[in-house]
Structure formats: C-alpha cells, structure tokens
Amino acid sequence: MLSASSATITTAATAPATGIAATAFHRRIPHLHIFRTRTNSGFGPQQCSTTSSYSLIVHPVKAMAETVATPQSAHKLSTPGRKQALISLSDKTDLAKLGNGLQELGYTIVSTGGTASALEGAGVSVTKVEELTRFPEMLDGRVKTLHPGIHGGILARRDQEHHMEALEKHEIGTFDVVVVNLYPFYAKASSSSGISFEDGIENIDIGGPAMIRAAAKNHRDVLVVVDSEDYSNLLEFLRGDNDDQQFRRKLAWKAFQHVASYDSAVSEWLWKQTVGDKFPPSLTVPLSLKDPLRYGENPHQKAAVYVDKSLSEVNAGGIATVTQHHGKEMSYNNYLDADAAWNCVCDFNKPTCVVVKHTNPCGVASRNDIIEAYRLAVKADPVSAFGGIVAFNVEVDEALARDIREFRSPTDGETRMFYEIVVAPKYTEKGLEVLRGKSKTLRILEASKNNKGKLSLRQIGGGWLAQDSDDLTPEDIQFNVMSDKTPQENELTDAQFAWLCVKHVKSNAIVIAKDNCMLGMGSGQPNRRESLRIALRKAGDEVKGAALASDAFFPFAWNDAVEEACQSGVSVIAEPGGSIRDKDAVECCNKYGVSLVFTNVRHFRH
C-alpha cells in the first residue's frame, strides 16, 4: 500500500498497467492519481516494470484507501454451491418476510444501503454490495451496483462454460434471485405538491432498472421479483423441486413491464419539462389491468378494463377509477354507458340528473330540487330510461335514494323503474343503504369528476387518434344572434342548455329543451333531417316555445330541417354556422319569427 504522502516512482513506459496509466504515459501527464493494490480478483492494476524514463507523482485517494478491503480481508466473491439473493428496495413492504424466508432456505443475502440496514434490523444476515465489489458507493449513491461483480453474477448463463469460467477467473459469484423495485419517481412526480426539475432528475433510477433488466433477460437462471405481492409465490417456488420455466417467464415479463411503465413516466414528465407539446413524436401509455370482464361488447368477445397510469391521469377522475359500492360486476357496455353518463352530468353546474341508454343521453334535467330533476330526466323518454344508467352531479341522500328505488314509470304509473347503474360523486350512509335495497344487481358507483384538458385517445385499425377532450361549455363561447329576432333571456338559457346536451349526443344530433329540461333528442342518423324528426316526435306538443340545438350546421334550410324546425313552433335555434347556405337559414328563421344564434363551435361525436 502507498503511504499517505506523495511518492515519485519510475515505471516502464512500454508496458503500463492500466488504461489510465497508458494514457498518462502517452500524453506525458505529470500527475496521476493511482491506487496500487493487488488483489486475487484482478480488478487492481498490475505491477509494472521499473525501467521507465517518466516520473509520476502519486497522490493517495483517501476514500478508496479507507473503504476498500485489503487483500487479506477481501470478501471472496465466489463460493462453490452458495446460493445468493440480491435485494435492493425503495418500497420495503414485507421485506422482513422475504429476507427471513430466503435465509431459511440457505440463501446468502446481498444488499445495499437502507435495504441492508432494514434487513439487519429484522435479524437477517447481510453481505453488503461493496464487500463483493471491493468498491464503495459513490456519487451520492448514483453508483452502487453498476459493477461487473454484480452484473456478471446476474447475467452469466449457467449452461455456457465460458461464462462460468469467466466468473471463476474473476472470482464472481452467481445470483439466483434478484429482488428490486425502483426510486419512487412516479409517486413524487404525480404528487399534489409537484416536483422540481432537479429533484425529478435525482429520482430517476439507473442501477435498479439495469439489475431488473439483466435478471429478466437471464430469467432461465435468475428469478427476478419487482412486486411484494410475489414474495410468497417466490418462496413457495424455491421450496419446491419443479423448475417451472413459465413461472420464471411470468416474473421476467412483469419485470420488463415494470421498467417500461417506469420509463414511460420519466419520458412523459421530461417531455413536459422540455417542449410541453401535447402530441410528442413518440407516445407510450402505461395501462394497468383493473379487472377482466365477463365478455366484451358481445358475448363472443373477450374483454378487460385497464386503468391509465400516465402521470396526467393521476387523480384526474373518470369512470375507470370508480368505487363500486354494490351490485353485479361491471361489464364492457356498463363502462361505456357509465362513462357517457358521467361525462355528461359533470358538464352541468346546477344540480342535474342524466339518464343514458347506449351512450346517448335520453333524459337530462337541472333543478335546485334534485328529486324533481331526476323525475323530469326519466319523463323525457321513460321507455329508453328503463334499463339505463342514471347519473347525478350531487350527493345521493336518503330521500333521493328512496325516490330512485320507488319511482314508477311515467308510461303507466305502475312499473317500478329499473336501472343498470347509478353513479354519483358521493352517497350518504343512509342513501347507500336504501339504494342497496332496490336490487341485488344494481351497480352503485362513486366517481370523481374528470379533469379538463385531458388527451383523448381512440383506436383505429393499425393506430390511434389523439385529440384534446371536448371541454367547452356555454360559459366558454359566444351565442351570436344572426336573426332579426333577439332571443329573450329565458330562451337564450334554454338554447345554452340544449347546446350543452347535444354535445353528448351521437352525430347527427338534435336536442330540444325548455326550462333546463331535455324534451326530446334525435341521434346517430346519417342525415340531420331524420334526427330532427325523431327529436320532434319525442318532444311532442312541448316543442312549442322550446329551444333547438344542432351539433353541426344545417346544410339546407328551405323545405328541409331549418324550415321544419321553425314550423314545429320552436322559439330559438342554436347551431355552429359555417355552411355556404347560412344566409338561407337566417332568412328562413326571419320568415317564421324564430331566433337564430351561431356558436361557431361544432360538437360532432362519432
């Protein structure tokens, strides 16, 4: 070992021991930090000849001299027949159970930092990583396990003789089990308090993903675990005699998926720190299985529901993250319908009830008295409402729950209304109790309101479409009067309500409304005139003095939809405008004394 003082030595320029030394000799560097210890592992520099014309000033490296084991005390990396498990965890859930279980099975536990301390605190014997690598943790913990003494033991194939010979030559032991989870980047980046750029960078794990990927790649020989839920299965597997490759492959898949999801969060976060464009050139959406479903849209289709684990979706609300308090398990179509109902009802500021059937709102009403709103929403189309989804944007209390349970169909006054789902932001304890008594199958969902500004994704063959969510409400736009007649305040309010409803109806869409209540709607027709006629038929005599909203402009006016609407008795029509025949629509409304307002906003929904 070198002394604490500087020393001048003469060495051979023609045979330097290390790459650093060789560079020094080549460049004639006068000062070189060199650590001259010889170990049996071959990691130290080789001794040099003493026939050189160059002088090197050697300074001691204190941290290395103080922490690296001497040849006499160095921990031998490889012991024949020894089973080793490497454990490095940020989330230490059930760590003691894992450590003790592995130790009982005869495994030597190798660990790092806080994990090692926690294991020792649980009475588990631990070999620290630096004892194997003969190299200290450095760079504030950035470099701990990135070392051949670790990765060689993970990646070596046991069936390749030259791999095992290389390990033996360098005295590196194999690892049979690798248990690693990562720095809590996702939790910190998605926290309500946010995360600074510097803190975000420091929470990007490097060594952890490297070990996980290495072990997963070599899963034929190394069991890799990234989830504490798998500890029991791991220990059970190790106690058995059957080396099930499918078990190993499943753990390897889970490991790669774990790292992929982690990297997607880092990528999403870092993209927002740089450009911030909503549509990056490459996009990864991490999905986590919530539930397998009985079947898809039809019984012959298999299905499942996933939760979007993107950072932008954390605490952002939506039907995928609902709490189900009661009822039959959700189906594929239940999710679609509940999503449509919830998105619609959350757009309204006043206490509102929305009834949905096949993703279309067939009844919508807003009232200060939510029970009145519920009854009016059902009355709009009681036939469609039967077997539908009922959504509220206010708490369901005992009184409302009793009305939902007992309300009779307006068609005959006798048939008790049946629903698939009730969804609301919250329930009183008594309200839940009453609703549970309506039906064993009634699904009672508690949901959080969707955040605005989300990215909307939709699959097409071979790809995906991405767009901003349609978040506009009447408060965000102008209703520009185009006709001679200016709508009265209550008529304009009706037009705004109808416009907000039609936003959630499948195109071509027409909604007729009055007094904050939908009277009729027409949806999904290939031509707008047919949608109009359906809406008029449902509204019946109540159309007189009502407001009509269209999701898109009317391509024709005379002897077409606009004129039919005017002749029906509506008082105001709201549409986006933008047709080359807008002038015809204006003149038609003027002829019949109907107010016409343009929103300049289209609401197509396909």
Side-chain angles (χ1 to χ4, degrees), residues 508 510 526-530 550-563 575-585 598 604:
N508 286 310
I510 298 290
N527 71 75
R528 196 160 301 281
R529 195 173 186 179
E530 286 304 314
S550 173
D551 66 334
F553 64 68
F554 292 100
F556 301 98
W558 301 109
N559 297 315
D560 207 279
V562 176
E563 189 165 24
E575 58 143 308
S579 169
I580 59 174
R581 298 181 182 86
D582 278 348
K583 184 179 178 182
D584 290 349
F598 282 178
F604 269 166

Side-chain angles (χ1 to χ4, degrees), residues 24 30 32 64 93 116 180 192 261 269 301 321 452 457 465-466 477 509 563 603:
L32 175 68
M64 292 291 289
T93 301
V180 177
S192 58
S261 295
W269 175 80
Q301 296 171 273
T321 58
K452 289 189 174 184
L457 297 173
L465 296 172
I477 67 170
E563 189 165 24
H603 270 321

Side-chain angles (χ1 to χ4, degrees), residues 20-47:
I20 295 176
T23 303
F25 284 114
H26 179 70
R27 297 181 182 175
R28 297 173 180 262
I29 299 174
H31 295 86
L32 175 68
H33 293 288
I34 183 168
F35 188 73
R36 294 175 55 86
T37 57
R38 288 185 58 82
T39 69
N40 292 332
S41 66
F43 290 126
Q46 302 299 314
Q47 288 182 338

Side-chain angles (χ1 to χ4, degrees), residues 81-399:
R82 184 173 66 177
K83 300 184 293 185
Q84 288 192 127
L86 176 61
I87 306 177
S88 181
L89 301 174
S90 176
D91 178 2
K92 298 175 178 59
T93 301
D94 290 335
L95 175 58
K97 168 187 172 182
L98 173 69
N100 282 297
L102 288 171
Q103 188 168 262
E104 289 169 5
L105 289 167
Y107 283 81
T108 297
I109 310 297
V110 179
S111 191
T112 61
T115 307
S117 298
L119 285 167
E120 289 172 336
V124 179
S125 298
V126 177
T127 299
K128 295 184 178 178
V129 162
E130 52 266 36
E131 295 180 48
L132 295 188
T133 62
R134 305 188 185 101
F135 206 93
E137 176 183 316
M138 62 185 296
L139 306 182
D140 299 319
R142 286 189 172 198
V143 178
K144 289 184 284 192
T145 57
L146 297 170
H147 191 282
I150 299 300
H151 284 270
I154 296 173
L155 283 166
R157 289 181 56 177
R158 315 308 195 252
D159 62 346
Q160 296 293 318
E161 186 176 347
H162 65 287
H163 280 205
M164 302 311 292
E165 287 175 350
L167 294 192
E168 184 176 0
K169 176 182 178 180
H170 296 287
E171 296 187 350
I172 297 173
T174 57
F175 287 102
D176 305 286
V177 177
V178 171
V179 185
V180 177
N181 58 46
L182 308 176
Y183 293 167
F185 178 88
Y186 185 89
K188 289 201 171 186
S190 62
S191 67
S192 58
S193 59
I195 188 172
S196 69
F197 183 78
E198 292 75 16
D199 196 18
I201 292 298
E202 288 307 313
N203 273 278
I204 298 174
D205 205 324
I206 302 300
M211 289 188 288
I212 291 171
R213 290 174 60 85
K217 176 175 181 175
N218 201 28
H219 65 269
R220 287 183 59 184
D221 298 312
V222 183
L223 290 158
V224 57
V225 177
V226 295
D227 185 353
S228 60
E229 294 293 322
D230 292 322
Y231 292 171
S232 295
N233 291 334
L234 170 69
L235 295 173
E236 182 180 350
F237 177 85
L238 293 173
R239 293 185 186 106
D241 298 326
N242 181 25
D243 189 9
D244 183 359
Q245 286 298 313
Q246 288 300 315
F247 178 74
R248 289 177 174 273
R249 288 177 186 176
K250 186 174 181 181
L251 290 179
W253 162 82
K254 194 169 187 178
F256 278 117
Q257 186 61 47
H258 180 68
V259 174
S261 295
Y262 187 88
D263 286 343
S264 73
V266 174
S267 174
E268 179 187 357
W269 175 80
L270 196 55
W271 175 256
K272 292 178 180 178
Q273 306 301 312
T274 52
V275 180
D277 193 310
K278 184 167 281 189
F279 306 105
S282 179
L283 180 64
T284 301
V285 180
L287 302 177
S288 177
L289 180 66
K290 180 178 182 178
D291 286 307
L293 303 176
R294 286 176 295 154
Y295 52 79
E297 205 160 5
N298 301 290
H300 64 278
Q301 296 171 273
K302 293 182 179 180
V305 59
Y306 288 81
V307 174
D308 189 340
K309 303 299 287 186
S310 300
L311 292 174
S312 59
E313 287 290 337
V314 175
N315 299 321
I319 285 298
T321 58
V322 296
T323 299
Q324 183 170 350
H325 291 292
H326 179 74
K328 197 173 181 180
E329 64 185 89
M330 292 281 285
S331 72
Y332 183 95
N333 292 331
N334 287 156
Y335 273 108
L336 288 177
D337 288 338
D339 185 59
W342 185 242
N343 290 340
C344 183
V345 80
C346 286
D347 257 354
F348 292 85
N349 295 323
K350 294 180 179 179
T352 300
C353 174
V354 170
V355 183
V356 159
K357 194 68 167 287
H358 296 303
T359 72
N360 279 304
C362 57
V364 183
S366 297
R367 288 289 187 278
N368 290 330
D369 182 352
I370 192 61
I371 293 178
E372 182 184 359
Y374 160 64
R375 292 182 176 184
L376 288 171
V378 174
K379 181 184 175 183
D381 188 350
V383 175
S384 297
F386 195 88
I389 284 77
V390 183
F392 300 92
N393 61 357
V394 296
E395 182 179 62
V396 175
D397 60 13
E398 180 181 2

Side-chain angles (χ1 to χ4, degrees), residues 39-55:
T39 69
N40 292 332
S41 66
F43 290 126
Q46 302 299 314
Q47 288 182 338
C48 305
S49 169
T50 58
T51 60
S52 171
S53 60
Y54 302 123
S55 295

